[in-house]
Amino acid sequence: MSLVYPGDRPEFLYEIKRILLSQKSSLSMKCRILLENNEYIWIEIEGRVVEQGINTRPLRMFGVFKDINEQKKLIESLENRNRYIESIVENMPIGLAVNYIDSGRADYMNRRFAEIYGWPADKITGVEKFFEQVYPDPEYREQLKKRIMDDISSGDPKRMHWEGVKITTEDGSHKIVNAKNIPIFDQNLMVSLVEDVTEKNELENKLRQSQKMEAIGTLAGGIAHDFNNILTAIMGFAEILQRKMKDTDDDPFEINEIVIASRRAAELVSQILTFSRMKEKEKLPLDLAALVKEAVKLIRASIPASIEIVTEVSAGSAVILGDPTQIHQILLNLCANAAHAMKLKGGILRIGLSEKHNGFYDLSVADNGGGIPPNVIDRIFEPYFTTKAAGEGTGMGLSMVHGIVKNHGGDITVRSTEDIGTVFTVTFPAYDNSPADAAIEPIPDLQKGTETILLVDDEAAVSRFISIFLSQIGYRVHSMNDPISAIELVRSGDEDLNLIITDQNMPGMTGMEFADKVYEISREIPIILMSGLEVNDLSMGSQSLNIKKFLQKPLNISTLSAAVRECLNHPE
């Protein structure tokens, strides 16, 4: 008895006692026995009673002792390994589930699988139940189910991998997952692996949107630069002609309208530049009624002819404090969404503007399209949320509209009925002061001179305008389109130059680089740097000591003449 391991003695004694009391005629058990070195080994005992005495009490037993120590160690090792593997599988960051191929019955799912899908294991007992719970939309469920079953039936492992699958959890929230199936046909098992990529997709979408906005900003900046050069010639020659007609009996109406339109275009380009830099522009008094009328022209050109536009502007002059570019953006986004809702059958797009008695204006955009489903209307202002198909929208439009409205101290509401239509209403606080009129300002006197000026600009139209204008007010002008040739002229000293006017964006050399090279030759010549881009950015980055003025294109001739005169009078 002393050979039996202490921990196994109670069971050993219990079995022996049962035999002695004739309650049992055989013995079968495993126990540990102690060795001389106080270590133990596992043995298996098999015995039976071979002779009984009075009252069937056992007199003699026959038994076999079998060394099972190695076998026991192997079993323990396998059990430990199984527990180790089970712990890894249960705690791995990827969801794992096992189903029987023939019946679809669920055999196992780890904790992460249930967390990802948001359903407890007892509610996903098989493939059919799984599809019903996780994909509540019948149409989407059948499409996805058919695709998955076809891929599985193909037997091709490469087809058993699905990305960007939309799922619905028990609480109604939505996720995006990547899933993969691994069939084990000889075991009648299908192993399913799933990864939650919702956050990853959102980050990738944000990165793509950021890159897209950066690309659009770069493109907008380039367009604005080129357009400012064109506007410089249009505005400049129009102002020259306007001055010629000042002392005649001819009606200057047409020329005045060109000047007004040029200035409005210049303001629009300035807004594009602000957008390209992603900076908030200073808010100005704006007439919403006028902005609506301007926006309708753009909207009409961009939506199908099957959609009728009706404007209902009851407010004669609705002045708010805001950024005109962003207000345009609100209108264009809301109208684009309305047009999308009516793209199949056409309809009526209504744009309304009315004054409220408590000092607010209501700007409304309504359509008679299919309406917004009740289960998504509360999410429409969320970033990247969209009901449009891939390639039709990013889900940023209404989110940006919401942000702009809030930034203007306003509010936005939506009312929608399925199969009837949707109405978005944006409320802006009224502004007490009126915006400045766009009428022609009095023509100021020009500041003239007789000095020699070198003009360097690769845009021929701009060069012609500035050369003609400066020549008309008395200056002697050398016009060059190549900065490298202009450097050689300065270096030769053939001309007694009093001032240089140069553009920033030129082939082969920027305006600031040109100014630096001029400074190496002569520190006495002041320079005016022009740009079709934002000159404030140039002035902050300039280290050229001889650049005295920065002028933003398109140029106003009175501003240009004043800048020239100031640099000539005060070259220091």
Side-chain angles (χ1 to χ4, degrees):
M1 183 68 190
S2 61
L3 294 177
V4 178
Y5 187 75
D8 298 339
R9 286 174 189 172
E11 183 182 0
F12 183 80
L13 287 172
Y14 176 76
E15 292 295 327
I16 296 297
K17 195 176 292 185
R18 288 181 67 187
I19 292 175
L20 293 175
L21 295 175
S22 300
Q23 295 177 349
K24 197 174 181 182
S25 62
S26 64
L27 172 68
S28 178
M29 67 176 297
K30 297 180 180 66
C31 67
R32 288 165 288 184
I33 61 171
L34 290 169
L35 303 178
E36 290 182 349
N37 59 3
N38 287 327
E39 293 184 358
Y40 67 85
I41 63 170
W42 281 92
I43 64 169
E44 183 178 38
I45 304 172
E46 294 284 346
R48 63 184 177 85
V49 176
V50 295
E51 185 179 349
Q52 294 177 328
I54 302 172
N55 298 326
T56 67
R57 288 184 176 275
L59 294 178
R60 202 154 47 106
M61 281 190 74
F62 176 80
V64 177
F65 295 81
K66 181 180 179 182
D67 184 349
I68 60 169
N69 198 54
E70 293 302 321
Q71 178 186 351
K72 191 69 175 177
K73 285 181 178 180
L74 178 60
I75 292 172
E76 286 181 349
S77 174
L78 290 174
E79 288 176 347
N80 289 335
R81 181 178 292 273
N82 287 342
R83 283 193 294 270
Y84 177 70
I85 294 173
E86 183 179 348
S87 176
I88 292 175
V89 171
E90 189 63 23
N91 294 283
M92 65 195 303
I94 295 176
L96 182 145
V98 180
N99 290 71
Y100 291 101
I101 294 176
D102 54 2
S103 66
R105 182 171 59 85
D107 181 60
Y108 169 80
M109 70 173 62
N110 70 354
R111 180 171 56 195
R112 184 59 182 151
F113 190 92
E115 287 176 354
I116 290 174
Y117 281 100
W119 289 92
D122 59 355
K123 291 190 177 181
I124 309 179
T125 54
V127 172
E128 290 298 327
K129 193 69 173 175
F130 173 83
F131 272 97
E132 289 177 9
Q133 302 281 34
V134 176
Y135 311 108
D137 181 358
E139 184 177 352
Y140 179 69
R141 178 171 64 240
E142 289 308 312
Q143 289 177 352
L144 186 66
K145 186 177 179 181
K146 183 180 185 306
R147 174 189 165 197
I148 290 175
M149 291 307 175
D150 287 346
D151 290 341
I152 292 175
S153 300
S154 72
D156 183 357
K158 294 179 181 179
R159 289 181 58 179
M160 299 185 201
H161 186 198
W162 307 280
E163 295 186 349
V165 179
K166 298 178 182 178
I167 66 171
T168 302
T169 63
E170 188 177 26
D171 63 6
S173 59
H174 303 280
K175 294 181 180 178
I176 305 295
V177 300
N178 292 344
K180 183 176 184 178
N181 277 5
I182 303 172
I184 307 176
F185 293 109
D186 61 342
Q187 299 293 320
N188 188 34
L189 295 176
M190 181 69 74
V191 179
S192 300
L193 301 175
V194 63
E195 179 186 10
D196 185 353
V197 295
T198 308
E199 185 177 352
K200 177 184 175 184
N201 275 23
E202 288 179 356
L203 291 173
E204 288 177 350
N205 286 338
K206 289 178 181 178
L207 177 60
R208 280 194 294 270
Q209 186 66 19
S210 174
Q211 291 171 336
K212 185 190 298 182
M213 296 301 285
E214 183 178 351
I216 291 173
T218 302
L219 176 63
I223 293 172
H225 170 263
D226 292 341
F227 196 48
N228 268 335
N229 278 324
I230 298 169
L231 275 177
T232 295
I234 295 173
M235 184 184 295
F237 283 119
E239 288 185 332
I240 290 174
L241 188 56
Q242 185 186 51
R243 288 180 177 275
K244 285 184 177 180
M245 297 179 67
K246 185 174 72 168
D247 299 326
T248 70
D249 294 332
D250 294 334
D251 185 358
F253 173 78
E254 292 87 352
I255 296 299
N256 290 348
E257 287 300 307
I258 293 174
V259 173
I260 291 174
S262 298
R263 290 176 182 172
R264 285 179 177 169
E267 175 59 26
L268 178 60
V269 176
S270 177
Q271 292 165 15
I272 293 174
L273 286 171
T274 300
F275 167 76
S276 71
R277 299 193 311 276
M278 301 301 171
K279 296 178 182 177
E280 184 176 348
K281 193 174 181 181
E282 181 183 359
K283 295 181 177 66
L284 304 170
L286 305 172
D287 184 353
L288 266 181
L291 278 172
V292 168
K293 293 174 184 176
E294 289 180 11
V296 167
K297 297 175 184 177
L298 293 174
I299 295 163
R300 177 67 279 170
S302 61
I303 64 175
S306 60
I307 297 174
E308 179 185 355
I309 299 179
V310 176
T311 56
E312 300 168 340
V313 180
S314 59
S317 177
V319 181
I320 67 167
L321 193 66
D323 180 341
T325 305
Q326 293 187 339
I327 303 302
H328 266 285
Q329 191 173 357
I330 290 174
L331 276 165
L332 294 176
N333 266 296
L334 293 181
C335 290
N337 282 347
H340 184 270
M342 300 182 289
K343 68 177 183 178
L344 296 179
K345 299 180 180 179
I348 301 176
L349 171 59
R350 297 184 183 274
I351 304 173
L353 179 62
S354 60
E355 184 175 2
K356 298 174 72 173
H357 296 298
N358 55 354
F360 286 87
Y361 295 106
D362 278 347
L363 175 64
S364 62
V365 176
D367 66 73
N368 56 353
I372 303 173
N375 61 322
V376 302
I377 196 166
D378 291 335
R379 302 188 61 206
I380 59 175
F381 295 114
E382 293 179 12
Y384 305 107
F385 177 79
T386 180
T387 57
K388 296 178 181 178
E392 292 188 355
T394 63
M396 285 299 293
L398 287 178
S399 174
M400 294 177 70
V401 166
H402 184 271
I404 292 171
V405 171
K406 293 299 181 183
N407 188 39
H408 281 73
D411 193 22
I412 182 168
T413 58
V414 58
R415 185 176 73 255
S416 185
T417 305
E418 288 193 272
D419 299 324
I420 294 178
T422 303
V423 181
F424 282 91
T425 302
V426 181
T427 303
F428 290 108
Y431 184 66
D432 294 335
N433 298 330
S434 298
D437 292 333
I440 286 292
E441 301 171 359
I443 301 175
D445 293 332
L446 298 177
Q447 300 185 39
K448 303 177 181 181
T450 58
E451 290 88 344
T452 301
I453 299 174
L454 172 61
L455 172 63
V456 187
D457 195 313
D458 63 307
E459 288 290 334
V462 174
S463 294
R464 283 197 299 271
F465 149 62
I466 296 178
S467 296
I468 291 172
F469 168 65
L470 292 179
S471 298
Q472 286 179 352
I473 59 174
Y475 295 102
R476 183 168 174 261
V477 182
H478 291 283
S479 179
M480 305 187 76
N481 301 118
D482 176 20
I484 296 175
S485 300
I487 288 292
E488 294 304 317
L489 178 65
V490 175
R491 183 176 284 111
S492 70
D494 293 341
E495 297 290 340
D496 186 15
L497 300 175
N498 303 109
L499 176 68
I500 297 175
I501 303 175
T502 183
D503 187 43
Q504 165 64 8
N505 294 85
M506 297 183 293
M509 189 182 301
T510 67
M512 284 196 283
E513 292 171 341
F514 172 77
D516 289 337
K517 293 189 178 297
V518 169
Y519 189 74
E520 293 173 2
I521 300 169
S522 172
R523 301 186 179 186
E524 307 300 324
I525 307 174
I527 294 178
I528 295 177
L529 184 64
M530 306 179 297
S531 178
L533 299 175
E534 178 58 60
V535 294
N536 289 335
D537 295 340
L538 294 178
S539 61
M540 288 186 291
S542 173
Q543 302 296 323
S544 301
L545 298 178
N546 50 347
I547 296 179
K548 307 303 180 183
K549 280 283 184 182
F550 294 88
L551 292 182
Q552 177 78 58
K553 291 180 179 179
L555 301 173
N556 176 286
I557 59 175
S558 59
T559 302
L560 176 59
S561 66
V564 168
R565 195 66 260 161
E566 183 180 353
C567 287
L568 289 170
N569 291 344
H570 307 285
E572 70 281 358

